[in-house]
């Protein structure tokens, strides 16, 4: 459910964006970030870093495969020329793409049968069978699946590739999958010391971080980009080098937002459907001015019970606090120069763009489906699947 249905859902006209269609599957436990919708105007006239605009060409298979709109039916009849079926399986949605021999997308289907609603391998198999259908699948093309399908609670657990992870390293660890006698496999996740590659001693990281799905998107980020963020329930900040993920760190920002707003005293009595650009900007500014984040979170409750701020502003204020602390912590851990690629659906990507603009950080948006398709094609080529 999206508690801000009336907020604008598009990025600023100045946003540089690669790709055009929203992604269905990756980490769509994106509860917080789906709620905190994007806004096109930097609030309150803050000094902002520009977000440049660049539209990817739908027919440019060498960079961004052509993508149709999210639909339950295939965009065009794929015919016999399918070279690969790519599946992006998230917690709440699953999306399948039919690729031609050049990496272009012939047709796309998606459904709401995500990992969280499936109990065993038979249910996963039936869900994929239903999703593919005659409109998408020729019954012969190899199949690569990525995302939560390879989690411990997924169809079949896939291993984690170690850092640094490029397309070759990921392809070498594909997990074979039995499905209707097809040539099929699951893309591994990636595991490594948290913030490895960020100039911080890996031994001081405290734990080995993990991700599934974002590694495939990372393979589709335009060459030359050194840093990327994939907003979500568990946002990932990635360090990239020569087409490989060399470090990353995770922030459970979206999940924490949902828990606090819906299940805690901090959010009790707040209008979940409300959105306020002023509240979001105040949250971002508070995060920058006051590093005592745990104390500042309680400020949501204190402002409410004292009527020190309009209740309609406080959900966005909470979102600004959490996203602000995330962005500031990630940039402190990896203060490199150059643009940050924001990889994801339009709504979370644009609100992260708003935060980075307010903090003066150059950035651009890569549409999540474009990154996934390009990245999966790279992995498929490295593995000999295409």
């Amino acid at each position: 459910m999206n508690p801000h249905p009336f907020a604008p859902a598009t990025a600023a006209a100045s946003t540089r964006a690669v790709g055009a269609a929203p992604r269905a599957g990756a980490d769509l436990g994106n509860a917080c970030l789906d709620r905190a919708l994007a806004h096109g105007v930097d609030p309150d006239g803050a000094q902002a870093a520009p977000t440049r605009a660049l539209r990817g060409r739908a027919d440019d298979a060498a960079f961004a495969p052509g993508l149709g709109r999210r639909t339950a039916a295939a965009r065009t009849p794929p015919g016999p020329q399918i070279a690969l079926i790519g599946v992006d399986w998230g917690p709440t949605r699953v999306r399948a793409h039919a690729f031609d021999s050049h990496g272009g997308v012939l047709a796309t289907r998606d459904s709401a049968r995500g990992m969280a609603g499936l109990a065993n391998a038979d249910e996963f198999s039936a869900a994929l069978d239903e999703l593919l259908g005659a409109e998408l699948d020729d019954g012969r093309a190899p199949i690569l699946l990525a995302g939560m399908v390879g989690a411990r609670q997924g169809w079949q657990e896939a291993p984690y590739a170690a850092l640094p992870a490029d397309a070759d390293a990921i392809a070498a660890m594909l997990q074979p999958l039995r499905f209707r006698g097809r040539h099929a496999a699951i893309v591994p996740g990636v595991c490594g010391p948290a913030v490895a590659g960020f100039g911080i001693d890996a031994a001081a990281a405290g734990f080995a971080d993990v991700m599934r799905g974002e590694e495939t998107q990372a393979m589709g980020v335009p060459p030359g980009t050194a840093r990327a963020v994939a907003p979500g329930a568990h946002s990932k900040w990635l360090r990239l080098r020569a087409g490989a993920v060399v470090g990353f760190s995770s922030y459970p920002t979206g999940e924490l937002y949902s828990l606090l707003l819906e299940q805690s005293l901090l959010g009790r009595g707040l209008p979940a459907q409300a959105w306020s650009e002023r509240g979001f900007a105040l949250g971002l500014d508070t995060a920058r001015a006051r590093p005592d984040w745990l104390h500042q979170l309680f400020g949501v409750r204190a402002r409410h019970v004292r009527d020190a701020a309009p209740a309609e502003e406080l959900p966005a204020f909470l979102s600004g606090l959490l996203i602000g602390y995330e962005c500031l912590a990630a940039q402190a851990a990896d203060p490199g120069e150059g643009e940050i690629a924001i990889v994801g659906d339009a709504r979370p990507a644009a609100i992260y763009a708003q935060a980075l603009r307010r903090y003066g950080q150059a950035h651009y948006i890569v549409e999540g489906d474009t990154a996934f398709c390009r990245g999966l094609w790279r992995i498929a080529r490295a593995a000999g699947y295409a």
Side-chain angles (χ1 to χ4, degrees), residues 158-226:
Y160 288 105
L163 295 173
D166 60 9
D168 289 334
I170 292 171
M173 294 188 66
L174 292 179
Q175 179 72 24
L177 176 71
R178 285 190 172 186
F179 174 69
R180 308 287 193 260
R182 303 283 288 274
H183 187 37
I186 298 175
V187 174
V190 171
C191 176
V195 299
F198 291 178
I200 297 176
D201 182 4
F207 67 97
D209 213 332
V210 295
M211 64 180 173
R212 291 193 185 276
E214 294 88 0
E215 76 294 320
T216 303
Q217 287 184 316
M219 296 299 102
V221 171
T225 300

Side-chain angles (χ1 to χ4, degrees), residues 243-267:
V245 179
V246 297
F248 69 98
S249 56
S250 302
Y251 297 82
T253 306
E255 184 172 12
L256 186 57
Y257 177 86
S258 294
L259 290 171
L260 291 175
L261 186 61
E262 298 174 359
Q263 301 183 38
S264 79
L265 283 174
L266 297 187

Side-chain angles (χ1 to χ4, degrees), residues 221-287:
V221 171
T225 300
R227 293 183 295 167
V229 56
H234 302 156
S235 297
K236 310 293 182 183
W237 288 74
L238 305 102
R239 165 59 70 167
L240 310 174
R241 184 181 303 130
V245 179
V246 297
F248 69 98
S249 56
S250 302
Y251 297 82
T253 306
E255 184 172 12
L256 186 57
Y257 177 86
S258 294
L259 290 171
L260 291 175
L261 186 61
E262 298 174 359
Q263 301 183 38
S264 79
L265 283 174
L266 297 187
R268 180 169 294 180
L270 297 182
Q273 301 294 325
W275 180 259
S276 164
E277 292 193 7
R278 182 178 183 277
F280 184 69
L282 181 60
L284 292 174
D285 292 345
T286 302

Side-chain angles (χ1 to χ4, degrees), residues 14 16 33 69 134 137 152 176 192 257 346 349 355 370 380:
S14 60
R16 181 161 84 87
L33 288 269
R69 291 184 178 275
D137 188 24
R152 183 160 296 178
Y257 177 86
T370 298

